[in-house]
Amino acid sequence: MPAEPSNTALIRAGFQEPDRVRQELSELGEHAAPLLSTFSRTADPDLALSSLVRMTASPGADPEMLAELVDDEGTAMRLLSVLGASEALGDHLVRRPEQWRELTDPHLGCSRPAAWAVRAQLLEAVGADARSDCPVASLPDGAAVDALRVEYRRILLRLAARDLAHHQSLDDTAAELADLAAGTLDAALAVARARLGEDWRKCKLAVVAMGKCGGHELNYVSDVDVIFVHEVAEGVDENAGTRAAAQLASHLIQICSEHTGEGTIWPVDAALRPEGKAGPLVRTLASHQGYYERWAKTWEFQALLKARPVAGDLVLGRAFVEMVQPMVWRVAEREGFVLDVQAMRRRVIDHIPSKEAARQLKLGSGGLRDVEFAVQLLQLVHGRADERLRTPTTLSALAELTRGGYVGREDGEALHEAYSFLRSLEHRIQLYQLRRIHVVPEDEGDLRRLGRSMGFFREPVQLLEKTWHYHRREVRRLHEKLFYRPLLESVARIPGPDARLTPEQAETRLMALGYADPRAALRHLEAMTSGVSRSAAIQRTLLPVMLGWFASSPDPDAGLFGFRRISEALGKSHWYLRQLRDEGQVAQRLARVLSTSRYATDLLEREPQGVRMLGEDLTPLSAEALTAEMRATAGRQPSAEDAVRAVRAVRRRELFRISAGDLFGETDVADVGRALARLTDATLEATLDVASGEICRQRGVAEPPARLAIVAMGRYGGFELSYGSDADVMFVYEPVPGADSHRAASFAQAVAHELRRLLAMPGSDPALEVDAGLRPEGKQGPLVRTVESYASYYAKWSQVWEAQALLRADATVGDPDLRRRFTELIDPLRFPEGGISVDDVVEIRRIKARVDHERLPRGADPHTHLKLGRGGLADIEWTVQLLQLRHAGAVPGLRTPMTLEALAAAAEAGLISDQDAGTLESAWRLVSHVRNAATQVRGKAVDQLPQDAKEKAAVAIVLGYEPGDSDRMVNDYLRTTRRAHAVVERIFWG
């Protein structure tokens, strides 16, 4: 008897539980010692030993097995490799111990069997004639279903041994698994024909494999995606033929998927068919053609890239593939093609359970799907003109893309290595229990088995994790490079073997990636990357990532053109390109601004230094800080025009800060309105100083003869400005003691005119339109009035609509005492002690009805007009203002110019339910946000929800929706405003 191995020897051999192992080895007797070295080369020696012991003890065990394993090292390696890597196949061999002899074949590792041979073995197992075009199973149904499972496992056992012991290549293993699946489908169809009796002859049925089975790259355990195509047999009623085809398809799915005493095989999934699970299970060729020509989405054509007839009537299956192929290779010409593909990828990521995301091998960032989506996108873009790329297998397609120069050689090799590693790891994970799983386990024992199965026998856990994370990083890096680096190498004419894309190919890729004017895009790229300067070198580093960000936006052309202009303006600045290169957030934010917001882009082009802001806090500055800066800046200028240009430059910078904060979701929509109002306060305050000083200079007086104040009105007074709003104001003045009243009035009038002139001057910044149309008597009345004049007017002529307008009056600029006195004057008018009369309520409703009828622009959609539409801003604000006019005299909280504050106070006082207040607030916020977003996108004031698809998509992105979700944005808008309109109907209209 050989000496019993020590614990140290067992641990060195890879065993983890020496005491238990020693007991199990004793059950092998004299055969244990010779097999130890073979156990040490398996993924899990403990598991391999346990399974072998169970096999020897199972009924029907071969008494010669252990001796033959000792004599035949090749057979021992094949069997123990399978037992050490797959608990499920070990269980199968315990139930079917005679099948160990499948692994004694000395030629097993030389080559994989032909697909026809695999199909024949599976058909013969169910008693069908493999030579027939339409084989029918002859075994009894239950026996045939079980026999199919046993034969499937037998072939899978041989395949796994080739994979594990003979290190068969990944693509050969995946192709063999796909051939096994195809043969299984044909055998299952033979059983289904037997179930139907003679009715199966009423139709022809083709099974078209999709996904990994169609691509000849199947996993050990995977849903097998299929589409069923049928034709009714000649002379058969169409309904009867279709019914027979549907029954055949249903039985096939059941035969493969159901659990029996011999287990199951895998689910057959027909969800990729037209209309998905809601559509008919089988369709004719003509029905499929009609659907794909009219209704199919981009992702459906992407899926059809891997379509392959595998079972049933192969002539009909090939006709289906030939019919859809031209559509597949035209899909890249669709508008929004890239956005659709990217949205599909994001949906996949979004559906990953959060607890799995970090260890998702298939769907997670840097996982298998990243490689597959990237390769498929390049195939669809370039395969239109290059038929060599029209291969359904990922690694074969990657090789052709590399060979054709669409992917650099080094990148192609790195991606091939990463994908092969990730797929092999996925195979090892699934092989253990033959379960469909794509999550890398966290248990150390599982990781140890996986690491050893991948060839890491020293420190298997650490090396597996390290290698896996390395390949994930490589996939993420190369995913960005695949589309954009060759473009730059084309246009910049960089020497080297990877500069292979012709200008035509580069133009094709840009067009497919969403660029509307690819020739212009190429010119921009060439201008930025040509030459040997340091700037060009940095641009070549930056642009692959920037182009990706631009391409994921609704308007990549605008993004790239804006980037070129900003780069030309700042290209010689030492900090600009360095900051973009070294601070990823700044570069990504810049790409978002340039490709989404014309408003912010215009500001940035006038103030390129604003790029620095993208790396800073975007919180709006206070009115006090802005006023101090503007006054100090203006005070250093030689003339009034120069002073106000300096003031407006500060305003331009701060408009960009507010706009950027809004784009990146850092500034709430209500805070945007407040920030714009405070910025307007500071601008008017500083400009009022300049205008007053200029009129004093022109008139030769040392001190102004009048004090002035400016009253904010409308949305400005309510701290609810949008980007396109004018500054509605009223001017108040008062002569200083001892001054002549006429000279004071003339002076105040001149200052007001000068202020408006200076702020409306043409310049490189947006002009601030100061509108005094809400003053008493409108444009017919005096531009400036004293407090007493206002009091006299309101006492004699004031109407209820003027009291309503005064609800949003806020004296914010100019002399503090004058502002206080004006506010004390108007408070009793706008907040009447007993509320307005019933007649006044009727009058307000009459005016609102007239506004709704007369001011809505001709042709405007009342459902989507942001200001005057149903449930829009006017509806909500008039409702709140009516509550204020009726109840502010008794409810102090209603005495505010701000809509949301007044709404909250009304709810707190019980004047409106919390639910109704919440509905109105949600609508006000959404409509205000949409209005701002539309102005950002278009670059000018907008009062209608955009109809243009590109603008609508950009608005959706600004609002926080994912690309491709613009329809959901519109539906959310319509639902929210519809609910608000219902509240307005009850509360405002009574």
Side-chain angles (χ1 to χ4, degrees):
M1 286 289 292
E4 201 173 70
S6 67
N7 286 358
T8 301
L10 291 175
I11 290 171
R12 283 178 178 169
F15 292 101
Q16 294 293 291
E17 302 178 43
D19 293 337
R20 184 183 61 79
V21 167
R22 197 175 287 106
Q23 173 61 37
E24 291 180 333
L25 286 172
S26 68
E27 296 180 36
L28 301 182
E30 60 183 344
H31 306 106
L35 293 174
L36 269 181
S37 63
T38 307
F39 279 119
S40 71
R41 288 178 280 163
T42 65
D44 187 341
D46 296 78
L47 176 62
L49 175 58
S50 294
S51 297
L52 183 63
V53 169
R54 289 168 59 215
M55 283 180 65
T56 60
S58 65
D62 186 343
E64 304 299 321
M65 179 179 67
L66 291 177
E68 291 189 37
L69 291 178
V70 170
D71 291 340
D72 186 347
E73 185 180 1
T75 299
M77 191 67 242
R78 286 188 285 274
L79 176 61
L80 296 185
S81 292
V82 170
L83 295 179
S86 177
E87 184 179 64
L89 287 176
D91 291 342
H92 171 74
L93 284 169
V94 170
R95 290 194 307 274
R96 300 276 175 176
E98 72 281 1
Q99 287 194 2
W100 82 273
R101 288 206 169 272
E102 294 294 329
L103 307 184
T104 61
D105 180 359
H107 304 295
L108 185 67
C110 298
S111 62
R112 65 183 179 91
W116 64 264
V118 173
R119 173 182 178 272
Q121 291 165 5
L122 289 159
L123 285 167
E124 289 166 6
V126 300
D129 184 357
R131 294 167 298 179
S132 169
D133 290 337
C134 298
V136 182
S138 61
L139 290 183
D141 187 77
V145 171
D146 282 343
L148 179 58
R149 281 153 174 69
V150 173
E151 184 65 10
Y152 177 86
R153 290 283 191 281
R154 183 188 73 80
I155 299 172
L156 187 67
L157 177 66
R158 294 171 63 90
L159 191 162
R162 260 191 301 279
D163 180 15
L164 294 164
H166 293 280
H167 309 295
Q168 181 171 264
S169 67
L170 168 72
D171 42 359
D172 280 344
T173 298
E176 189 174 346
L177 285 164
D179 289 340
L180 176 55
T184 302
L185 289 169
D186 230 351
L189 188 56
V191 178
R193 291 191 186 102
R195 285 186 180 181
L196 245 64
E198 289 301 305
D199 279 356
W200 72 263
R201 300 183 184 279
K202 294 179 179 179
C203 66
K204 299 176 182 178
L205 182 70
V207 184
V208 178
M210 305 285 283
K212 283 189 163 56
C213 183
H216 241 105
E217 51 187 359
L218 197 61
N219 300 338
Y220 271 101
V221 186
S222 174
D223 290 355
V224 173
D225 297 305
V226 300
I227 287 177
F228 295 105
V229 187
H230 83 283
E231 292 293 344
V232 176
E234 188 175 349
V236 174
D237 175 73
E238 185 174 341
N239 289 335
T242 300
R243 185 164 55 251
Q247 289 175 325
L248 276 178
S250 296
H251 284 307
L252 181 151
I253 292 172
Q254 183 184 13
I255 290 163
C256 292
S257 307
E258 67 185 353
H259 285 268
T260 74
E262 292 294 341
T264 186
I265 304 178
W266 20 247
V268 175
D269 190 347
L272 289 178
R273 66 185 185 269
E275 300 179 78
K277 294 179 180 178
L281 183 60
V282 298
R283 284 178 183 256
T284 63
L285 196 62
S287 176
H288 276 105
Q289 182 170 0
Y291 174 83
Y292 288 119
E293 286 179 347
R294 292 179 179 86
W295 310 112
K297 296 181 173 61
T298 298
W299 68 264
E300 293 179 273
F301 291 110
Q302 185 180 351
L304 286 168
L305 192 152
K306 294 182 179 293
R308 177 172 68 99
V310 293
D313 192 311
L314 297 182
V315 173
L316 179 58
R318 283 192 285 271
F320 171 84
V321 173
E322 289 169 5
M323 180 266 292
V324 299
Q325 284 299 297
M327 303 184 207
V328 169
W329 299 111
R330 289 198 303 268
V331 71
E333 299 168 8
R334 282 188 165 196
E335 184 177 352
F337 163 71
V338 174
L339 287 178
D340 286 345
V341 174
Q342 292 168 338
M344 176 74 174
R345 178 69 185 112
R346 274 189 299 275
R347 281 194 293 273
V348 169
I349 292 175
D350 289 344
H351 283 83
I352 302 173
S354 56
K355 63 181 181 181
E356 294 182 3
R359 303 189 72 79
Q360 246 289 349
L361 189 64
K362 176 181 177 181
L363 306 177
S365 178
L368 293 164
R369 275 290 186 269
D370 272 351
V371 181
E372 291 158 2
F373 267 69
V375 168
Q376 288 166 25
L377 186 54
L378 288 175
Q379 283 183 276
L380 292 170
V381 168
H382 298 294
R384 294 173 297 167
D386 191 343
E387 294 188 5
R388 294 173 301 172
L389 305 182
R390 299 182 182 184
T391 171
T393 308
T394 300
L395 287 177
S396 299
L398 179 59
E400 290 296 341
L401 286 165
T402 305
R403 195 174 295 120
Y406 304 100
V407 177
R409 277 205 297 262
E410 290 184 5
D411 291 344
E413 289 168 7
L415 205 60
H416 185 287
E417 182 182 348
Y419 186 71
S420 297
F421 176 86
L422 295 174
R423 282 296 307 275
S424 297
L425 179 56
E426 181 185 44
H427 278 190
R428 300 296 186 266
I429 292 171
Q430 294 181 344
L431 189 57
Y432 177 54
Q433 291 184 325
L434 288 181
R435 287 177 53 208
R436 182 173 173 269
I437 186 171
H438 309 284
V439 179
V440 179
E442 297 183 82
D443 178 76
E444 187 168 346
D446 289 335
L447 289 172
R448 181 176 179 275
R449 181 189 68 254
L450 288 171
R452 288 173 61 89
S453 76
M454 298 289 289
F456 304 129
F457 288 96
R458 296 184 62 184
E459 299 184 336
V461 175
Q462 294 85 343
L463 282 175
L464 176 67
E465 290 270 9
K466 180 179 178 181
T467 309
W468 171 42
H469 290 303
Y470 165 76
H471 285 303
R472 285 185 71 182
R473 288 193 301 272
E474 279 293 278
V475 168
R476 283 198 296 268
R477 179 181 69 84
L478 293 169
H479 188 70
E480 292 176 348
K481 282 185 65 177
L482 276 178
F483 304 108
Y484 309 114
R485 179 71 68 187
L487 289 170
L488 304 183
E489 291 166 346
S490 283
V491 299
R493 298 180 175 84
I494 302 171
D498 292 338
R500 294 174 182 157
L501 280 190
T502 65
E504 291 76 17
Q505 290 169 331
E507 190 175 315
T508 296
R509 183 174 297 190
L510 282 166
M511 184 182 297
L513 289 170
Y515 287 84
D517 190 349
R519 291 186 180 179
L522 286 175
R523 290 196 299 272
H524 299 325
L525 294 177
E526 187 163 13
M528 288 187 282
T529 59
S530 294
V532 295
S533 69
R534 180 173 174 274
S535 293
I538 296 176
Q539 288 284 24
R540 287 193 289 268
T541 302
L542 280 172
L543 273 165
V545 181
M546 298 291 287
L547 283 169
W549 288 327
F550 295 146
S552 64
S553 74
D555 195 352
D557 298 81
L560 181 57
F561 183 44
F563 184 60
R564 177 183 176 182
R565 286 185 290 180
I566 299 297
S567 295
E568 288 174 347
L570 292 174
K572 295 182 180 179
S573 303
H574 67 281
W575 57 270
Y576 168 64
L577 289 175
R578 186 180 65 219
Q579 185 177 34
L580 294 186
R581 181 193 62 195
D582 299 340
E583 298 181 31
Q585 182 191 38
V586 174
Q588 187 169 10
R589 283 183 160 189
L590 179 60
R592 171 79 178 270
V593 166
L594 295 175
S595 58
T596 306
S597 174
R598 293 184 192 175
Y599 180 83
T601 299
D602 288 346
L603 291 170
L604 195 56
E605 288 176 358
R606 295 164 175 169
E607 185 65 48
Q609 297 284 335
V611 171
R612 290 180 184 272
M613 273 191 202
L614 297 176
E616 301 171 359
D617 181 11
L618 295 172
T619 302
L621 301 183
S622 68
E624 293 76 16
L626 289 168
T627 302
E629 181 182 0
M630 287 177 172
R631 279 175 165 163
T633 303
R636 294 192 292 268
Q637 306 307 316
S639 69
E641 285 81 1
D642 291 335
V644 174
R645 286 192 188 97
V647 168
R648 287 169 56 171
V650 176
R651 177 174 178 266
R652 178 179 62 223
R653 183 199 71 202
E654 291 308 308
L655 282 174
F656 179 73
R657 185 194 303 275
I658 296 167
S659 170
D662 185 13
L663 284 174
F664 305 129
E666 294 185 13
T667 310
D668 178 75
V669 63
D671 291 332
V672 169
R674 283 190 282 270
L676 290 169
R678 291 190 190 102
L679 180 57
T680 304
D681 288 346
T683 304
L684 291 175
E685 193 78 68
T687 306
L688 182 61
D689 288 351
V690 173
S692 181
E694 176 63 13
I695 298 303
C696 283
R697 185 190 65 77
Q698 290 177 8
R699 298 194 174 189
V701 297
E703 294 293 332
R707 296 179 295 157
L708 277 86
I710 300 175
V711 181
M713 299 291 289
R715 299 188 69 78
Y716 173 31
F719 288 86
E720 295 161 2
L721 282 176
S722 59
Y723 295 110
S725 298
D726 294 341
D728 291 312
V729 302
M730 294 194 300
F731 292 97
V732 188
Y733 82 98
E734 183 176 66
V736 299
D740 178 77
S741 60
H742 292 293
R743 289 181 59 229
S746 173
F747 176 84
Q749 179 113 342
V751 169
H753 281 300
E754 179 69 359
L755 177 142
R756 298 174 75 190
R757 181 189 73 82
L758 291 169
L759 289 173
M761 284 189 304
S764 60
D765 54 90
L768 177 59
E769 185 71 30
V770 178
D771 188 347
L774 289 177
R775 65 187 185 267
E777 301 176 82
K779 295 181 180 179
Q780 305 305 314
L783 182 61
V784 297
R785 287 178 183 261
T786 62
V787 174
E788 289 75 16
S789 175
Y790 279 106
S792 175
Y793 173 83
Y794 289 132
K796 294 178 183 177
W797 310 110
S798 177
Q799 300 180 47
V800 67
W801 70 264
E802 289 179 293
Q804 182 183 355
L806 289 171
L807 285 171
R808 296 210 283 186
D810 190 18
T812 58
V813 174
D815 184 81
D817 182 62
L818 199 51
R819 288 155 48 189
R820 177 188 56 78
R821 288 170 52 207
F822 181 83
T823 302
E824 290 172 351
L825 165 67
I826 64 172
D827 277 353
L829 296 171
R830 56 183 177 172
F831 308 136
E833 188 173 341
I836 59 175
S837 68
V838 173
D839 289 343
D840 285 340
V841 172
V842 171
E843 176 64 7
I844 286 175
R845 289 173 175 164
R846 186 193 66 79
I847 297 171
K848 175 70 165 68
R850 183 177 174 186
V851 168
D852 289 347
H853 179 69
E854 295 180 0
R855 294 197 182 175
L856 188 70
R858 180 174 296 179
D861 184 350
H863 295 95
T864 57
H865 196 275
L866 304 169
K867 185 175 180 181
L868 300 174
R870 296 166 190 167
L873 292 175
D875 264 2
I876 299 164
E877 290 165 1
W878 280 63
T879 300
V880 173
Q881 289 161 19
L882 183 58
L883 289 171
Q884 288 178 283
L885 289 168
R886 298 178 74 176
H887 303 287
V891 181
L894 290 172
R895 300 170 194 170
T896 171
M898 291 182 273
T899 301
L900 294 186
E901 283 192 11
L903 187 58
E908 186 177 349
L911 304 174
I912 183 173
S913 70
D914 289 340
Q915 182 177 349
D916 285 347
T919 298
L920 293 181
E921 179 181 353
S922 296
W924 187 92
R925 286 181 174 278
L926 177 59
V927 178
S928 297
H929 203 177
V930 170
R931 195 182 194 204
N932 282 344
T935 302
Q936 289 251 39
V937 168
R938 191 174 289 180
K940 58 184 179 181
V942 176
D943 277 326
Q944 184 82 44
L945 192 68
Q947 299 300 307
D948 177 77
K950 186 180 291 186
E951 288 185 354
K952 191 160 55 177
V955 168
I957 287 175
V958 175
L959 292 177
Y961 290 86
E962 293 291 345
D965 278 351
S966 57
D967 288 341
R968 185 159 71 90
M969 181 267 290
V970 173
N971 290 335
D972 288 347
Y973 177 90
L974 293 174
R975 182 177 62 255
T976 301
T977 53
R978 184 174 63 249
R979 291 172 178 170
H981 186 63
V983 175
V984 171
E985 285 286 312
R986 283 189 285 104
I987 294 174
F988 181 83
W989 297 104

